[in-house]
Amino acid sequence: GESVGLHLPTLSVQEGDNSIINCAYSNSASDYFIWYKQESGKGPQFIIDIRSNMDKRQGQRVTVLLNKTVKHLSLQIAATQPGDSAVYFCAEEGGGNKLTFGTGTQLKVEL
Amino acid sequence: EAGVTQFPSHSVIEKGQTVTLRCDPISGHDNLYWYRRVMGKEIKFLLHFVKESKQDESGMPNNRFLAERTGGTYSTLKVQPAELEDSGVYFCASSQDGNEQFFGPGTRLTVL
């Protein structure tokens, strides 16, 4: 897949456990943040987003937390399933719809 | 509804040759974006079209890259002449209102 040659941080979790993936962003002016999931051979797929006027947003099994003070974003996945195995990217938008991506984290779910 | 499609899925060319990548956005999406991930690095923005106009091309690496979106529908990204460092995966994304961007599967370009 696209991760060849790219040494990604890896998070290994047991099926059923909760996963927490962290991301540090760089632009304090960014006002929109997104988490993407990328499976092998596919493009990034939108998971959840959050705007800078919020510090938490929940979706189905996923929660995004935003800490603007330390420019930190996290993605929490509840009851992690084998289908959650993928590379997860955070992205920030500082205006003009241009996304700036983080390096990604490989999530591996062990049975 | 069909998602964003890209063609080809994989292209292998020699240094100095020309390659043209195509992106078909989701029907009705005015916003179209090109991104790429080169080896060992993160996904980076190349440019953004609104309909047929280039809204932001600040990420285009050099003048060997030419993007077009004639008629405001599909877009092409041409690399001429290709260099070794152009190898990577090129993603296209589209959005209706400038918010959620839907990504295509990418084109893997290998320059030998």
Side-chain angles (χ1 to χ4, degrees):
Chain A
E2 291 84 16
S3 62
V4 172
L6 178 64
H7 297 286
L8 297 171
T10 298
L11 174 66
S12 294
V13 298
Q14 293 289 321
E15 181 181 6
D17 286 351
N18 296 333
S19 303
I20 300 176
I21 301 172
N22 296 303
C23 176
Y25 63 93
S26 56
N27 185 356
S28 57
S30 293
D31 57 6
Y32 181 54
F33 304 87
I34 313 102
W35 279 100
Y36 284 93
K37 171 186 180 184
Q38 187 180 9
E39 297 173 282
S40 182
K42 298 182 180 180
Q45 178 186 7
F46 173 94
I47 302 174
I48 191 168
D49 59 2
I50 189 168
R51 296 209 172 268
S52 59
N53 60 351
M54 303 173 68
D55 53 22
K56 181 179 180 179
R57 188 157 188 238
Q58 287 185 294
Q60 187 177 19
R61 282 202 309 119
V62 294
T63 301
V64 55
L65 298 177
L66 174 62
N67 185 331
K68 295 181 288 293
T69 302
V70 295
K71 292 190 286 187
H72 183 267
L73 199 65
S74 69
L75 176 70
Q76 300 177 1
I77 304 174
T80 313
Q81 302 169 0
D84 295 328
S85 293
V87 177
Y88 289 80
F89 295 94
C90 66
E92 59 182 299
E93 184 190 295
N97 307 130
K98 176 170 67 175
L99 295 177
T100 300
F101 283 83
T103 52
T105 297
Q106 175 82 55
L107 176 65
K108 293 186 177 180
V109 181
E110 299 169 348
L111 303 178
Chain B
E1 179 184 324
V4 176
T5 58
Q6 294 185 245
F7 182 84
S9 58
H10 194 179
S11 179
V12 181
I13 61 172
E14 293 190 350
K15 175 182 173 181
Q17 290 185 322
T18 299
V19 63
T20 301
L21 314 181
R22 174 171 170 145
C23 168
D24 286 79
I26 293 172
S27 178
H29 281 194
D30 289 339
N31 295 276
L32 187 149
Y33 312 82
W34 284 98
Y35 295 85
R36 74 171 180 176
R37 181 196 289 157
V38 295
M39 293 293 268
K41 298 190 176 179
E42 64 272 19
I43 300 171
K44 289 201 170 179
F45 169 84
L46 295 178
L47 88 160
H48 169 204
F49 283 100
V50 177
K51 296 185 180 179
E52 68 273 13
S53 299
K54 292 176 184 175
Q55 183 77 14
D56 180 352
E57 51 184 330
S58 61
M60 295 289 265
N62 51 60
N63 59 9
R64 295 186 294 103
F65 289 75
L66 176 64
E68 295 181 319
R69 193 183 183 196
T70 306
T73 54
Y74 71 91
S75 175
T76 58
L77 179 64
K78 183 164 71 174
V79 186
Q80 179 183 29
E83 298 290 344
L84 298 179
E85 64 265 25
D86 300 332
S87 295
V89 182
Y90 289 75
F91 293 104
C92 175
S94 73
S95 72
Q96 186 172 35
D97 53 9
N99 286 327
E100 183 179 344
Q101 296 183 25
F102 296 85
F103 281 78
T107 293
R108 178 183 294 280
L109 175 64
T110 302
V111 183
L112 302 176

